[in-house]
């Protein structure tokens, strides 16, 4: 009896190992499906079509490029890079795009245009998640970032939750510790976080995301942030009056707002970071060295940014038979 029990336990153990090995093999195959040139035979014009639509949109409005970069970021940080940020809200569900942190997202129409053309060229083949990844890469190149190849093969998710967006996206008031926590939860390092923050060298932010630094800072709730350059602070109070009926946008980099360069980091050194989470990178000694380093080596920043973008683009991707290919990026399928 004892021998039989022993052999039975061994067989059970072997079965567990076999299942584990099979699962690991399946995971490896899934990861292998995310590759450069994924659509070369499935839909040869895929990347060209996306590039054309991004170029067309950005030529008339350079701010679109920054919007597409931000769309990809906000997609990947909620449920991974699965295109869920593109889904519209329904009667029974408030989607990610309608969460407070996503209120100023832009570029949806560019993804729609690319998707329409892709469905005509190759019906049901190219995922919305991959379109976002391609569009971010193409947008970056248009504003002066380094070109790079995007591994593809992502599939789309069908769940989009405003509540999850609020819980996963870093707030504009985040400390370095909080930023490390948010990025670390996605498998990104502190160095990745500092590099990806450089995306704020293009685009704009709503006054509401930093008004606290201008009018309600400190214990009294009525002060101004002393870490901000006084001249810059004065300029911002002109652009963002304390009492206002609207919520205007202000360039993240007032010097070269449509060029992907290292002025974002130079602004931090000059105490001209727009968001509290930006300026925090210089105040913390563990990140300040990287900030200053980028001001002295633009090439290093460009290289690090691309590496971090590629790493971010792999967050919790759906591949193989997981997920789906939505024919309309705004609607679950």
């Amino acid at each position: 009896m004892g021998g039989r029990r022993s052999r039975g336990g061994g067989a059970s153990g072997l079965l567990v190992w076999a299942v584990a090995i099979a699962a690991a093999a399946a995971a490896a195959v899934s990861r292998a499906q995310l590759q450069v040139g994924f659509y070369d035979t499935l839909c040869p014009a895929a990347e060209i079509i996306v590039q054309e639509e991004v170029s067309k949109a950005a030529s008339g409005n350079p701010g679109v490029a920054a919007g597409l970069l931000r769309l990809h970021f906000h997609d990947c940080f909620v449920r991974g890079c699965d295109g869920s940020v593109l889904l519209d809200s329904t009667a029974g569900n408030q989607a990610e795009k309608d969460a407070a942190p996503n209120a100023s997202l832009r570029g949806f129409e560019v993804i729609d245009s690319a998707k329409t053309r892709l469905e005509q060229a190759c019906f049901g083949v190219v995922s919305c998640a991959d379109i976002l990844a391609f569009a971010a890469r193409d947008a970056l190149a248009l504003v002066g970032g380094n070109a790079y190849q995007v591994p593809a093969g992502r599939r789309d998710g069908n769940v989009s939750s405003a509540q999850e967006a609020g819980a996963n996206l870093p707030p504009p008031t985040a400390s370095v510790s909080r930023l490390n926590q948010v990025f670390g939860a996605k498998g990104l390092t502190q160095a990745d976080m500092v590099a990806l923050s450089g995306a704020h060298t293009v685009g704009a932010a709503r006054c509401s995301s930093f008004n606290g630094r201008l009018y309600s800072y400190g214990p009294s709730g009525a002060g101004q942030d002393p870490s901000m350059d006084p001249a810059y602070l004065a300029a911002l109070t002109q652009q963002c009056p304390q009492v206002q009926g609207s919520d205007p946008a202000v360039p993240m980099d007032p010097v070269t707002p449509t060029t992907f360069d290292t002025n974002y980091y130079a602004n931090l050194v000059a105490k001209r970071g727009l968001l509290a989470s930006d300026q925090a990178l210089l105040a913390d000694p563990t990140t300040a060295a990287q900030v200053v380093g980028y001001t002295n080596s633009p090439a290093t920043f460009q290289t690090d940014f691309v590496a971090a973008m590629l790493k971010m683009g792999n967050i919790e991707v759906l591949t193989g038979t997981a997920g789906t290919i939505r024919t309309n990026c705004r609607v679950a399928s």
Side-chain angles (χ1 to χ4, degrees), residues 115-284:
K115 183 61 171 173
T116 297
R117 286 186 58 190
L118 286 166
E119 288 305 300
Q120 293 170 349
C122 319
F123 181 78
V125 173
V126 184
S127 70
C128 300
D130 276 342
I131 295 173
L132 266 180
F134 293 145
R137 181 266 312 273
D138 297 335
L140 181 67
L142 286 174
V143 292
N146 281 2
Y148 61 97
Q149 292 185 306
V150 174
R154 299 167 188 81
R155 288 169 65 85
D156 300 322
N158 279 326
V159 177
S160 185
S161 163
Q163 185 177 3
E164 289 184 1
N168 284 275
L169 293 168
T173 56
S175 63
V176 167
S177 176
R178 176 61 178 150
L179 289 170
N180 281 336
Q181 182 182 21
V182 173
F183 279 72
K186 306 302 175 184
L188 298 170
T189 66
Q190 177 175 278
D192 296 327
M193 179 270 289
V194 176
L196 288 171
S197 295
H200 287 177
T201 196
V202 290
R206 297 287 179 184
C207 292
S208 58
S209 62
F210 57 87
N211 261 356
R213 304 184 73 196
L214 310 183
Y215 303 109
S216 55
Y217 191 85
S220 69
Q224 296 182 315
D225 189 343
S227 72
M228 186 178 286
D229 171 62
Y232 185 48
L233 193 152
L236 289 174
T237 58
Q238 294 297 311
Q239 298 174 77
C240 301
Q242 188 169 11
V243 179
Q244 57 189 27
S246 61
D247 191 13
V250 174
M252 300 286 280
D253 171 12
V255 183
T256 54
T258 60
T259 303
F260 194 81
D261 53 27
T262 55
N263 272 343
Y264 165 78
Y265 299 102
N267 290 337
L268 299 187
V269 173
K271 298 183 178 181
R272 294 190 170 200
L274 187 62
L275 305 180
S277 57
D278 292 324
Q279 198 60 51
L281 299 182
L282 185 74
D284 191 297

Side-chain angles (χ1 to χ4, degrees), residues 56-65 106:
K56 186 194 308 179
S59 64
N61 185 352
V64 168
R106 58 193 302 193

Side-chain angles (χ1 to χ4, degrees), residues 65-75 101-106 204:
L68 290 169
L69 271 173
R70 190 165 173 239
L71 262 185
H72 185 41
F73 175 93
H74 282 232
D75 180 44
N102 290 335
S104 59
L105 287 181
R106 58 193 302 193

Side-chain angles (χ1 to χ4, degrees), residues 34-98:
L34 205 65
Q35 58 188 335
V36 171
F38 182 83
Y39 295 107
D40 284 355
T41 55
L42 296 170
C43 187
E47 296 191 46
I48 295 172
I49 288 173
V50 175
Q51 183 182 46
E52 288 176 350
E53 291 303 314
V54 172
S55 181
K56 186 194 308 179
S59 64
N61 185 352
V64 168
L68 290 169
L69 271 173
R70 190 165 173 239
L71 262 185
H72 185 41
F73 175 93
H74 282 232
D75 180 44
C76 291
F77 267 63
V78 184
R79 289 188 167 266
C81 310
D82 68 345
S84 56
V85 74
L86 303 172
L87 287 167
D88 286 341
S89 293
T90 62
N93 179 67
Q94 185 181 31
E96 291 172 34
K97 64 169 58 172
D98 292 322

